[in-house]
Amino acid sequence: MKRQIFQVLSILMLLLISGTTSAQLRKLQIAEMAVTNLYVDSVDENKLVEDAIRGMLKELDPHSTYATPKEVKSMNEPLQGNFEGIGVQFNIIEDTLLVVQPVLKGPSEKVGILAGDRIVTVNDTTIAGVKMSREDIMRRLRGKKGTKVRLGVVRRGVSDVLMFTVVRDKIPVKSVDAAYMIRPAIGYIRISSFGANTYREFMDALENLQLQGMRDLILDLQDNGGGYLQAAVQIANEFLERNDLIVYTEGRTQRRINYAAEGRGLMRDGRVFVLVNEFTASAAEIVSGAIQDHDRGTIVGRRTFGKGLVQRPIELPDGSMIRLTVAHYYTPSGRCIQKPYVKGQLKEYEQDFDNRLKHGELTNRDSIHFADSLKFFTLKEHRTVYGGGGVMPDEFVPLDTMRYTRFHRQLAMKSIIINSTLRYIDNNRKKLKETYPTFEAYYDKYEVPQSLIDGIIEEGAKQKVTPKDEEEKQRTIPYLRSQLKALVARDLWDMNEYFRVFNETSDVVKQALLLLE
């Protein structure tokens, strides 16, 4: 019965959006009124309508979605480029908030809160040792710019609880994770998403690297799930010549819209290598596709996710939002790279990564097959490229399943690796800082202690995460060791230093460097 109600309400919402006749609307309004007033049990109308909207969208494509007001706020913050709060990177360890790093020049750093501090009270409410959810803690710490919050802090080596009054402020959310000279004359920039401030961050990084003598660039878009189309267009513009088409969008009711380069970009010369993988999606695929179609650079890695659908936000009166697919986007050669889907079958769509792994696509290029009908040609060198399912790289780099083992994946999924690292840093932060005052000293001399490796394996055994045999254990340790060194660097410095360590063991980065050098 309830499922039928949801279907009726779903049709009502669809007709409201599409502009149906008054007779059809009246019919559905009567049905809704009947349910509300006559149904045998009490009905939560708000939940009924929300479930109806979700039910309607579920029968469409995988990217048409509904979000509550709370979900809208959470979803928008990373893209808007800032939020309002106290300015700390933190993690929860043993039911206590541990400050990983205060944001540079942020409100917490200004009052003297340090990495390694434990925040135990917020406005006299205890948040430590009470199993409070991460969402509840964040709700207490965040607030409007200019408001004050009183924090109780426990600091290693200090017997009393320290009290700080922090004035909340706007906290930047960075989308450029790393930017540095990876080799002489070769720059590296990693973008995690495309938000409101991404272009400005990218330009700052680009200009800084050029001042350091950069001629060629590695642009890392691995694991980049996308974001604002306009940000992707702005960044692609920096690589292309005047009037080069970057992307165009077109839908059943939306006319074709072209986005073209202005021809004033800072990176129109020099070699470009774009790194992608199976989690590179949407706006990141726009940049990759434009650079590939214009033969401007080389795409390195594995076939991208394949999201070629454009969503239009439809804001509802209560602050909730429908993101409705209204168009496809196409790369300059005319490719639509949206991977196939069956309407209403979201589960199959979400299992795409597992299916790719099972079919051998992530480990063997020859396992990837495209129909001739999906064949297109690049615009300058007329190389063959394909649509219908992501951007296929020019240089394929297989996923190394021998190194990234099932045992490692399970340790990561259970948060055993990250929690063990946090405890290690917490116990050794002062000693590490004294021993390695600079990142360069750390990179050259630091070795991950065997005790940390052993502790992770022991904790895994306690949580029933064990290697299937000694051989899998031995294959796991080298990758785990390099990951731990990168994680320790991140907590002592920042994400830039994390990638400076991690990239030296990345097969995709190493392949780009091999081609460049």
Side-chain angles (χ1 to χ4, degrees):
M1 179 63 180
K2 285 189 176 182
R3 185 177 180 182
Q4 292 171 328
I5 297 168
F6 294 162
Q7 290 172 339
V8 170
L9 289 174
S10 297
I11 296 169
L12 174 61
M13 289 302 302
L14 179 60
L15 294 177
L16 284 168
I17 292 170
S18 62
T20 189
T21 66
S22 58
Q24 290 169 316
L25 280 175
R26 182 63 181 155
K27 181 178 179 180
L28 289 167
Q29 286 170 343
I30 290 171
E32 194 276 338
M33 290 170 61
V35 172
T36 302
N37 294 294
L38 301 176
Y39 183 61
V40 63
D41 295 324
S42 60
V43 176
D44 181 339
E45 286 188 77
N46 288 331
K47 186 175 186 306
L48 199 66
V49 170
E50 286 189 352
D51 287 345
I53 297 170
R54 293 185 197 276
M56 170 189 68
L57 298 176
K58 185 179 178 183
E59 297 306 312
L60 303 179
D61 66 278
H63 298 290
S64 290
T65 58
Y66 168 79
T68 65
K70 184 178 178 181
E71 289 168 341
V72 169
K73 183 179 179 183
S74 176
M75 181 174 58
N76 284 342
E77 277 178 352
L79 296 178
Q80 288 170 344
N82 62 70
F83 64 91
E84 295 178 347
I86 67 168
V88 293
Q89 298 175 35
F90 73 91
N91 221 313
I92 307 296
I93 182 167
E94 296 171 354
D95 295 329
T96 302
L97 185 155
L98 176 69
V99 176
V100 176
Q101 289 283 356
V103 173
L104 184 65
K105 298 181 181 178
S108 289
E109 187 190 58
K110 288 178 181 177
V111 300
I113 291 176
L114 305 174
D117 283 350
R118 289 167 166 76
I119 299 177
V120 295
T121 63
V122 179
N123 289 334
D124 299 324
T125 298
T126 300
I127 65 169
V130 294
K131 297 191 181 298
M132 187 177 290
S133 71
R134 190 182 185 92
E135 290 72 23
D136 281 344
I137 291 173
M138 289 176 66
R139 182 170 52 81
R140 285 172 166 77
L141 294 176
R142 292 186 178 183
K144 288 189 178 297
K145 177 182 177 180
T147 58
K148 296 180 179 180
V149 59
R150 187 167 167 79
L151 306 177
V153 170
V154 171
R155 179 172 294 168
R156 185 178 291 274
V158 179
S159 57
D160 297 329
V161 175
L162 304 174
M163 302 305 299
F164 296 92
T165 298
V166 180
V167 180
R168 296 183 179 99
D169 202 347
K170 282 195 177 294
I171 309 301
V173 178
K174 291 185 178 181
S175 51
V176 172
D177 283 339
Y180 67 97
M181 295 297 292
I182 193 167
R183 295 290 187 274
I186 302 173
Y188 169 92
I189 299 177
R190 181 182 175 96
I191 303 175
S192 61
S193 64
F194 289 88
N197 295 335
T198 302
Y199 176 63
R200 185 68 262 160
E201 289 180 48
F202 173 77
M203 291 304 293
D204 289 343
L206 194 63
E207 290 166 5
N208 182 266
L209 292 178
Q210 287 181 334
L211 288 173
Q212 297 180 54
M214 179 188 73
R215 292 194 303 268
D216 305 321
L217 175 67
I218 295 174
L219 178 61
D220 193 346
L221 300 181
Q222 294 179 93
D223 303 320
N224 184 317
Y228 292 147
L229 180 146
Q230 191 58 42
V233 168
Q234 288 175 312
I235 287 173
N237 175 71
E238 295 301 314
F239 298 93
L240 302 176
E241 298 299 332
R242 182 174 175 80
N243 295 326
D244 280 353
L245 183 63
I246 294 171
V247 65
Y248 68 91
T249 62
E250 192 171 21
R252 181 177 63 87
T253 62
Q254 179 178 297
R255 62 180 177 81
R256 173 167 169 163
I257 302 173
N258 293 333
Y259 299 85
E262 298 172 352
R264 297 194 299 268
L266 292 183
M267 200 59 202
R268 287 174 293 150
D269 298 315
R271 292 175 296 172
V272 178
F273 285 76
V274 183
L275 312 185
V276 300
N277 65 7
E278 52 280 356
F279 301 115
T280 301
S282 189
E285 291 174 300
I286 289 175
V287 175
S288 307
I291 288 175
Q292 186 177 55
D293 280 4
H294 286 289
D295 297 293
R296 175 62 191 90
T298 304
I299 312 300
V300 181
R302 294 181 291 278
R303 181 164 68 95
T304 63
F305 182 86
K307 180 183 182 294
L309 302 175
V310 181
Q311 283 71 49
R312 174 186 167 188
I314 300 169
E315 296 181 6
L316 302 177
D318 65 346
S320 59
M321 179 187 290
I322 292 173
R323 289 176 52 80
L324 189 67
T325 298
V326 297
H328 290 87
Y329 74 73
Y330 299 85
T331 71
S333 66
R335 290 183 285 168
C336 178
I337 59 173
Q338 174 61 42
K339 64 185 176 183
Y341 63 88
V342 178
K343 290 181 179 179
Q345 294 190 14
L346 183 60
K347 186 176 180 181
E348 178 70 19
Y349 190 80
E350 290 175 338
Q351 290 178 337
D352 182 63
F353 173 79
D354 292 334
N355 292 335
R356 290 192 195 189
L357 185 61
K358 187 168 86 173
H359 295 152
E361 178 188 323
L362 300 182
T363 55
N364 189 342
R365 186 187 186 112
D366 293 339
S367 299
I368 306 168
H369 303 286
F370 292 100
D372 285 343
S373 60
L374 300 173
K375 184 183 292 187
F376 292 80
F377 298 95
T378 62
L379 301 178
K380 292 181 175 65
E381 298 178 8
H382 306 290
R383 296 179 298 114
T384 300
V385 288
Y386 290 92
V391 174
M392 187 67 195
D394 305 305
E395 292 285 338
F396 178 76
V397 180
L399 181 68
D400 188 353
T401 54
M402 292 297 289
R403 185 171 57 148
Y404 187 50
T405 63
R406 175 202 60 85
F407 178 45
H408 183 277
R409 290 197 297 273
Q410 290 184 344
L411 289 171
M413 284 189 294
K414 290 269 191 179
S415 299
I416 294 169
I417 297 172
I418 188 68
N419 287 338
S420 296
T421 307
L422 286 169
R423 279 190 288 267
Y424 169 75
I425 288 285
D426 189 40
N427 291 329
N428 297 279
R429 184 183 301 274
K430 184 177 179 181
K431 181 181 177 182
L432 287 167
K433 281 287 192 181
E434 290 173 350
T435 307
Y436 310 104
T438 65
F439 171 74
E440 287 70 24
Y442 172 87
Y443 183 83
D444 290 339
K445 299 177 181 178
Y446 177 77
E447 296 289 340
V448 174
Q450 186 61 40
S451 58
L452 179 54
I453 302 282
D454 293 341
I456 289 171
I457 294 172
E458 289 169 11
E459 182 60 30
K462 289 178 186 176
Q463 298 189 37
K464 298 182 179 179
V465 176
T466 56
K468 63 180 181 182
D469 52 34
E470 183 64 22
E471 190 262 344
E472 185 184 38
K473 176 183 172 182
Q474 293 306 318
R475 282 194 289 114
T476 300
I477 288 175
Y479 183 75
L480 177 61
R481 194 179 296 278
S482 63
Q483 182 189 22
L484 289 170
K485 183 169 181 175
L487 286 170
V488 173
R490 182 199 66 181
D491 286 0
L492 290 177
W493 288 280
D494 209 339
M495 288 298 291
N496 197 68
E497 286 69 30
Y498 171 89
F499 283 106
R500 286 181 67 178
V501 174
F502 182 80
N503 285 341
E504 295 303 316
T505 63
S506 165
D507 290 337
V508 179
V509 174
K510 286 195 288 187
Q511 179 63 20
L513 286 171
L514 181 66
L515 294 167
L516 274 164
E517 295 175 334

